Amino acid sequence: MTGRRMLVVGAHSADFVWRAAGAVAAHTAAGGEALVLALSYGERGESGELWKDPNQTIENVKRIRHAEAEQAAAAVGAKFESFDLGDYPLRVGDEQVERLASLLRTFAPQVVLTHPDRDPFNPDHPAAHAAVALARQLSAGAGVASGFATAPPSEFLAFEPHQPELCGFVPTVFVDITAVMPAKREAMAAMSAQGYLREYYDQRADHRGNHARRVSGNAAIRQAEAFQRLIPNVVGAL
């Protein structure tokens, strides 16, 4: 794992925390490097607790959300960046797709995590998926020699959405996060603007831990996160 780079792209600044903070923590604990990119702060549609203040401003919400995300990313050993593209709706134009492709070429991650391509309740999540999928293709140049700078093709996975059965999400990978669950809980605690989600995702980690135990026979697994491979992985043997 040492030297491997992971890029996690969320539509909003807290998305990575609920869905992949454990996998990020496991990755960095093993010596990998992780970068979390939020395409927006979720300042309009995902910061309801902050808007209860009648004197609140959108710039202050962004500031708070940035600080929360930085704290959460630090808890799992990652760095945090935001493109600040606005939310509800999130619109990722050609210029921003190329900006994302450039980041992929420069950072050259071995693994990329983002949203699935469907979500009937959140329009920003599929928009993020489409942007990441296109940028990944452009950054790799279809995996062959090209007339522009490229990065090696990365593994490409979707993290688990809030309601997987309505998003076409089928787990193909479970990551054992038992050892790093305290770090995930610390990251979740940093997201005070969406504190109501902590219990749900704490329970979800237990549920996926149960599934991972059944799949693997490893009774030591208590918590896990689920992912769906979008591109086949290559191995030397089965």
Side-chain angles (χ1 to χ4, degrees):
M1 187 72 74
T2 300
R4 275 175 63 85
R5 293 175 298 280
M6 172 186 286
L7 176 66
V8 186
V9 184
H12 314 106
S13 58
D15 289 339
F16 82 98
V17 172
W18 319 116
R19 298 163 173 87
V24 172
H27 178 84
T28 59
E33 181 181 359
L35 174 63
V36 173
L37 173 67
L39 298 179
S40 82
Y41 289 114
E43 65 273 10
R44 282 162 34 89
E46 306 215 337
S47 304
E49 292 299 305
L50 299 177
W51 287 106
K52 291 179 179 178
D53 180 352
N55 299 314
Q56 190 61 271
T57 66
I58 198 161
E59 290 307 318
N60 190 52
V61 170
K62 288 181 181 182
R63 180 189 62 78
I64 294 171
R65 294 280 283 184
H66 187 97
E68 289 182 349
E70 277 194 326
Q71 183 179 348
V76 294
K79 295 179 180 178
F80 173 77
E81 295 182 12
S82 175
F83 278 6
D84 190 13
L85 302 183
D87 66 316
Y88 288 82
L90 170 67
R91 300 194 188 282
V92 189
D94 292 346
E95 182 178 341
Q96 299 304 326
V97 168
E98 179 51 40
R99 182 181 176 190
L100 180 53
S102 178
L103 174 62
L104 282 159
R105 293 185 191 104
T106 302
F107 187 57
Q110 280 82 18
V111 59
V112 174
L113 309 178
T114 194
H115 300 272
D117 63 355
R118 288 160 51 191
D119 192 325
F121 298 108
N122 193 309
D124 291 355
H125 294 170
H129 173 92
V132 176
L134 178 56
R136 180 186 170 278
Q137 289 173 322
L138 294 172
S139 69
V144 298
S146 305
F148 51 88
T150 63
S154 65
E155 296 183 55
F156 191 30
L157 297 92
F159 44 58
E160 183 167 15
H162 192 76
Q163 293 186 254
E165 62 280 348
L166 299 179
C167 300
F169 178 87
V170 179
T172 57
V173 178
F174 291 115
V175 176
D176 177 8
I177 64 169
T178 307
V180 295
M181 190 63 195
K184 174 161 184 167
R185 290 192 175 112
E186 183 180 347
M188 292 195 294
M191 291 296 177
S192 59
Q194 290 179 280
Y196 54 86
L197 289 175
R198 288 182 216 162
E199 182 179 4
Y200 177 89
Y201 280 100
D202 205 297
Q203 292 174 353
R204 182 48 112 187
D206 289 339
H207 295 160
R208 290 311 192 184
N210 175 278
H211 300 163
R213 284 195 303 277
R214 292 174 63 87
V215 168
S216 66
N218 183 354
I221 299 175
R222 308 317 302 171
Q223 290 90 21
E225 288 175 341
F227 300 86
Q228 181 177 7
R229 287 195 180 276
L230 303 174
I231 300 292
N233 62 322
V234 178
V235 298
L238 295 177

